[in-house]
């Protein structure tokens, strides 16, 4: 039974899954349906966490909009995620950046990774 589920999940994976890490600033191009029309809306922010694996893998992006923190969790392999574009790389030492939720202003920044 397990092989059958794995086979079904492997069919739903994107071939060119985007390469990004926790702490990166990314632009997520998400499809939005309004009535019978469909458009693409960009959500730019810092990746707080990636969790799960396979077809169920999700990532959470946080941005500051008009002084209010907004978080959105996206399924990585969803057809509603058009593409994920890395704006800048972040230098972090942990897998989940939950501590950013309590910070405001410059303290909420992640250092840039220079290579």
């Amino acid at each position: 039974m397990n092989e059958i589920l794995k086979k079904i999940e492997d069919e739903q994976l994107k071939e060119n899954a985007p390469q990004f890490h926790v702490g990166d600033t990314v632009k997520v191009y998400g499809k939005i349906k309004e009535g019978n029309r469909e458009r693409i809306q960009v959500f730019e922010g810092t990746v707080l966490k990636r969790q799960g694996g396979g077809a169920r893998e999700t990532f959470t992006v946080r941005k500051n909009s008009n002084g209010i923190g907004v978080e959105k969790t996206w399924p990585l392999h969803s057809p509603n995620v058009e593409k994920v574009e890395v704006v800048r790389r972040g230098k972090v030492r942990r897998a989940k950046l939950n501590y950013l939720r309590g910070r405001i202003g410059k303290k909420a920044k992640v250092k840039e990774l220079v290579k």
Side-chain angles (χ1 to χ4, degrees), residues 24-115:
D24 294 352
T25 302
V26 295
K27 284 184 181 177
V28 182
Y29 292 82
K31 291 181 184 174
I32 306 283
K33 288 185 180 175
E34 295 174 335
N36 56 0
R37 294 183 339 165
E38 191 174 275
R39 65 183 178 88
I40 294 179
Q41 184 172 355
V42 181
F43 190 88
E44 183 176 349
T46 306
V47 178
L48 286 188
K49 61 183 173 179
R50 286 181 73 158
Q51 61 188 22
R56 296 186 202 99
E57 186 173 355
T58 61
F59 63 99
T60 302
V61 180
R62 179 181 177 87
K63 77 174 183 178
N64 203 5
S65 177
N66 297 324
I68 298 171
V70 179
E71 286 184 20
K72 235 177 185 181
T73 301
W74 303 86
L76 185 63
H77 297 284
S78 169
N80 289 333
V81 175
E82 186 74 22
K83 67 177 178 175
V84 179
E85 184 180 296
V86 178
V87 177
R88 65 187 195 101
R89 299 266 177 209
K91 181 181 179 185
V92 294
R93 296 176 66 179
R94 22 189 103 248
K96 307 264 196 291
L97 304 180
N98 294 323
Y99 66 89
L100 287 180
R101 293 178 176 147
R103 298 190 176 185
I104 344 168
K106 285 187 178 179
K107 290 186 236 173
K109 273 187 173 180
V110 173
K111 287 184 182 175
E112 189 166 359
L113 182 65
V114 181
K115 284 191 175 180

Side-chain angles (χ1 to χ4, degrees), residues 1-13 53-56:
M1 189 67 176
N2 196 14
E3 299 88 29
I4 298 170
L5 291 176
K6 183 157 178 49
K7 204 172 184 183
I8 292 171
E9 280 190 5
D10 288 345
E11 292 171 3
Q12 300 191 356
L13 295 178
R56 296 186 202 99

